[in-house]
């Protein structure tokens, strides 16, 4: 009976990870995140996940809680998490954290780094800086450092 109870608690916990609150500190509304990014003069890190993603819960459980990464992201980015499920991948009810069509990707997890007004950080500002797959906390922080450097170089004067 105790094992059944623990299993139910674990299932509730894991299922909550894929609801509106992907992680306690990540926003799920694009417009609110953009407003915060403009106010704070920071770029946005957009975590794209889906319900069928094998690595998405692993990132939530193993990568985001890392103290060094957590501090780095908290101090330098506005964190936004959105669901990319479409069609048969999506649930029947309304999804409050559904990514806009322009951010739907076929591979998750994915991270898009962008400026406060969706400015692009790759290829001289012509493409979004996007990375796919599972990354360790140190690797994700290195990608974040690259994005932060590009943001400051390309848009630093605009957001002083």
């Amino acid at each position: 009976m105790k094992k059944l109870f623990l299993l139910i608690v674990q299932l509730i916990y894991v299922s909550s990870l894929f609801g509106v609150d992907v992680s306690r500190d990540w926003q799920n509304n694009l417009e609110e995140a953009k407003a915060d990014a403009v106010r704070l003069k920071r770029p946005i890190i957009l975590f794209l996940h889906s319900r069928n993603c094998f690595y998405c819960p692993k990132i939530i459980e193993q990568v985001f809680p890392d103290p060094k990464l957590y501090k780095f992201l908290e101090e330098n980015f506005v964190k936004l998490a959105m669901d990319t499920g479409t069609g048969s991948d999506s649930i029947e009810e309304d999804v409050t954290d559904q990514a806009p069509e322009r951010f739907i990707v076929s591979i998750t997890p994915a991270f898009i780094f962008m400026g406060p007004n969706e400015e692009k950080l790759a290829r001289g500002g012509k493409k979004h800086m996007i990375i796919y797959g599972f990354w360790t906390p140190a690797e994700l922080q290195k990608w974040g450092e690259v994005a932060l450097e590009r943001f400051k170089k390309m848009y630093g004067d605009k957001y002083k």
Side-chain angles (χ1 to χ4, degrees), residues 5-25:
F5 175 74
L6 289 173
L7 178 64
I8 290 170
V9 170
Q10 286 177 331
L11 288 173
I12 290 170
Y13 172 73
V14 170
S15 67
S16 73
L17 294 176
F18 289 98
V20 173
D21 185 18
V22 170
S23 179
R24 64 182 165 87
D25 298 312

Side-chain angles (χ1 to χ4, degrees), residues 14-129:
V14 170
S15 67
S16 73
L17 294 176
F18 289 98
V20 173
D21 185 18
V22 170
S23 179
R24 64 182 165 87
D25 298 312
W26 290 67
Q27 296 186 41
N28 63 16
N29 181 293
L30 177 62
E31 294 308 315
E32 289 175 12
K34 287 168 54 175
D36 285 348
V38 168
R39 180 176 52 81
L40 296 169
K41 299 173 176 53
R42 295 182 185 170
I44 296 170
I45 178 174
L46 170 55
F47 169 55
L48 297 168
H49 60 88
S50 68
R51 287 172 187 78
N52 295 330
C53 174
F54 177 80
Y55 286 106
C56 293
K58 292 186 180 306
I59 289 204
I60 294 166
E61 295 168 7
Q62 299 170 16
V63 177
F64 291 159
D66 178 81
K68 188 174 176 186
L69 175 65
Y70 178 87
K71 182 179 180 192
F72 171 75
L73 294 177
E74 195 68 24
E75 292 175 353
N76 294 292
F77 290 90
V78 170
K79 301 176 295 185
L80 175 64
M82 302 192 86
D83 186 344
T84 64
T86 59
S88 62
D89 291 340
S90 63
I91 57 177
E92 296 297 323
E93 59 197 56
D94 289 334
V95 178
T96 58
D97 65 340
Q98 179 67 45
E101 191 173 320
R102 66 187 174 278
F103 294 128
I104 299 295
V105 293
S106 58
I107 299 170
T108 53
F111 295 89
I112 296 178
F113 295 92
M114 61 184 160
N117 289 302
E118 297 185 35
E119 293 96 341
K120 298 170 180 165
L121 301 178
R123 295 199 183 167
K126 297 187 187 219
K127 290 193 169 213
H128 279 297
M129 181 181 166

